[in-house]
Amino acid sequence: MLTVNAYAAESAGSRLAPTTITRRDVGPKDVLIEIRYAGICHSDIHTVREDWGPVQHPLVVGHEIVGIVAEVGADVAKHRIGDRVGVGCMVNSCRACENCLAGQEQYCLNGNTGTYGSVDVDGTITQGGYSTHVVVDEDFVLHVPESLDFASAAPLLCAGITTYSPLRHWNAGPGKKVAVVGMGGLGHMAVKLAHAMGAEVTVLSRTLAKKDDGARLGADDYRATEDPETFTTLANTFDLIVNTVSAPLDLDAYLSLLRLDGTMVNVGAPPQPLPVTVFSLFRNRRSFAGSSIGGIRETQEMLDFCAEHGIVPDTELIDASYINEAWDRVLASDVRYRFVIDAATFA
Ligand code: NAP
Ligand code: ZN
Ligand code: ZN
């Protein structure tokens, strides 16, 4: 076993502090990764604060991980020492259910193994990327293309794939009008990706404060949802709305913006239920859907797509000692647009 530096909170209400954790010995199919950068996802905060239910503390979170392969098990075929690799929200799945066999491990019918807070093969609770090293089965380790700036690439492993997957599934592309609700970590990636796929992109943010950024990221239009006129002007407009907001919204108001057969997909994960009036769905035969991260194959496809199109998240690189302040800023929507921790500072 390897003892490594990490950051964790002692309880749901406490601040994160330096600690040490152990990583399992490298098994035949395992890869030991020296973590270089770890992104801060709003889900890290929801989890530690127990917004979605109790967790076993102390817990090391972080599921936007990039690093360098430091050791490989005897049977590892996909990765070599020195490779630039990434790990996202999953580190294993049953591999036998119909969803796993379809490459949709995120929907594993037996429950995939999350990068943190899940029961691992050895019975321990998985610990995430706010750390210097991690040991992961090679099948859940991605290749990070050389052309992607390494620090900026980390958030692709969650924010990137979580927005790429629904955009692809609902065919964002030329001739499609896509709205992105909330321009934070996920939202700004949705804008970049939908634009690169050729869709016409509108940002629906609370205010116009980030309008210039929206245009720079590729948005064709940018509207304030605090302005009621937005909802009358844009009624019956969009083919697809991707909602990235971490808090409850008035779904009926947003559904009214969908044109015939349009879909609103929720990737934002507020703990509260979101009520829908069925008549909002009857009108224009609208759909309301959810989407969770993406499969391993699709995550690699997304990384390659980003390399091809020169897309990386807009990031602010921080030291580990700044994590608590960064979390406060994420909660205050004061993030442009993803914090990334320099793993060298966990030491
Ligand atoms: P984030 O960076 O904090 O962005 C959320 C954005 O939502 C903010 O930038 C803000 O946009 C808007 N917002 C925040 N509070 C709001 C409120 N009270 N009312 C209206 N709008 C509000 O968070 P993130 O990391 O992108 O994550 C967003 C959500 O997705 C979280 O709930 C997270 O857990 C979830 N998530 C889900 C998946 C999945 O697989 N489905 C994966 C990753 C994350 P504006 O300032 O532009 O209004
Ligand atoms: Zn995440
Ligand atoms: Zn499965």
Side-chain angles (χ1 to χ4, degrees), residues 93-97 100 108-110:
S93 72
C94 88
R95 302 162 188 241
C97 73
C100 282
C108 175
L109 296 172
N110 296 303

Side-chain angles (χ1 to χ4, degrees), residues 1-6 21-36 60 62 65-74 76 79 85-92 95 113-116 118-122 124-142:
M1 270 194 318
L2 188 65
T3 300
V4 302
N5 292 328
I21 54 169
T22 55
R23 298 298 191 184
R24 68 167 181 263
D25 288 332
V26 176
K29 288 269 285 166
D30 283 339
V31 174
L32 170 67
I33 301 165
E34 188 186 299
I35 298 174
R36 290 291 165 83
V60 176
I65 302 168
V66 296
I68 303 291
V69 175
E71 191 182 330
V72 292
V76 167
H79 308 283
V85 292
V87 177
C89 304
M90 301 178 284
V91 290
N92 218 332
R95 302 162 188 241
T113 309
T115 303
Y116 54 76
S118 278
V119 180
D120 209 348
V121 278
D122 59 2
T124 60
I125 302 292
T126 54
Q127 306 290 326
Y130 293 13
S131 170
T132 56
H133 296 78
V134 66
V135 176
V136 181
D137 184 290
E138 68 161 339
D139 294 334
F140 286 76
V141 176
L142 289 307

Side-chain angles (χ1 to χ4, degrees), residues 14-319:
S14 54
R15 309 286 277 176
L16 276 70
T19 186
T20 56
I21 54 169
T22 55
R23 298 298 191 184
R24 68 167 181 263
D25 288 332
V26 176
K29 288 269 285 166
D30 283 339
V31 174
L32 170 67
I33 301 165
E34 188 186 299
I35 298 174
R36 290 291 165 83
Y37 302 102
I40 292 179
C41 177
H42 204 122
S43 300
D44 300 343
I45 307 175
H46 285 306
T47 302
V48 167
R49 300 274 162 95
E50 302 190 335
D51 290 347
W52 298 329
V55 298
Q56 189 175 313
H57 287 287
L59 178 70
V60 176
V61 291
H63 56 206
E64 295 183 333
I65 302 168
V66 296
I68 303 291
V69 175
E71 191 182 330
V72 292
D75 300 336
V76 167
K78 297 176 178 164
H79 308 283
R80 283 186 299 199
I81 291 174
D83 282 359
R84 282 158 47 111
V85 292
V87 177
C89 304
M90 301 178 284
V91 290
N92 218 332
S93 72
C94 88
R95 302 162 188 241
C97 73
E98 64 172 328
N99 292 357
C100 282
L101 293 174
Q104 306 282 354
E105 303 90 352
Q106 75 278 32
Y107 303 121
C108 175
L109 296 172
N110 296 303
N112 63 59
T113 309
T115 303
Y116 54 76
S118 278
V119 180
D120 209 348
V121 278
D122 59 2
T124 60
I125 302 292
T126 54
Q127 306 290 326
Y130 293 13
S131 170
T132 56
H133 296 78
V134 66
V135 176
V136 181
D137 184 290
E138 68 161 339
D139 294 334
F140 286 76
V141 176
L142 289 307
H143 293 279
V144 178
E146 288 294 328
S147 65
L148 295 176
D149 176 70
F150 212 24
S152 310
L156 294 176
L157 277 303
C158 176
I161 184 60
T162 301
T163 48
Y164 181 89
S165 184
L167 289 169
R168 275 281 185 247
H169 184 76
W170 279 281
N171 302 312
K176 291 287 171 67
K177 291 187 177 180
V178 174
V180 175
V181 190
M183 203 167 81
L186 267 57
H188 97 290
M189 282 313 302
V191 173
K192 289 190 185 207
L193 292 167
H195 174 69
M197 289 172 190
E200 186 182 321
V201 185
T202 299
V203 174
L204 302 174
S205 182
R206 284 168 293 182
T207 69
L208 297 180
K210 295 176 277 192
K211 187 174 180 196
D212 291 346
D213 284 350
R216 179 175 55 77
L217 302 177
D220 301 282
D221 196 2
Y222 198 105
R223 303 292 175 119
T225 55
E226 281 179 357
D227 179 358
E229 227 175 78
T230 293
F231 291 88
T232 48
T233 315
L234 297 178
N236 310 309
T237 297
F238 300 107
D239 298 287
L240 177 64
I241 300 176
V242 180
N243 177 23
T244 74
V245 173
S246 47
L249 284 184
D250 176 0
L251 281 190
D252 291 324
Y254 288 85
L255 288 167
S256 73
L257 306 183
L258 291 173
R259 62 190 298 220
L260 184 67
D261 289 330
T263 298
M264 172 154 172
V265 56
N266 232 77
V267 292
Q272 303 87 343
L274 297 180
V276 181
T277 307
V278 291
F279 297 99
S280 302
L281 298 171
F282 291 176
R283 213 163 288 132
N284 276 346
R285 195 165 51 191
R286 295 165 175 138
S287 300
F288 179 58
S291 183
S292 178
I293 49 171
I296 293 298
R297 196 162 60 217
E298 191 175 38
T299 305
Q300 189 62 57
E301 178 189 306
M302 176 276 308
L303 288 166
D304 297 342
F305 177 90
C306 288
E308 189 187 326
H309 291 268
I311 296 174
V312 283
D314 285 21
T315 53
E316 183 173 334
L317 188 64
I318 62 164
D319 287 355

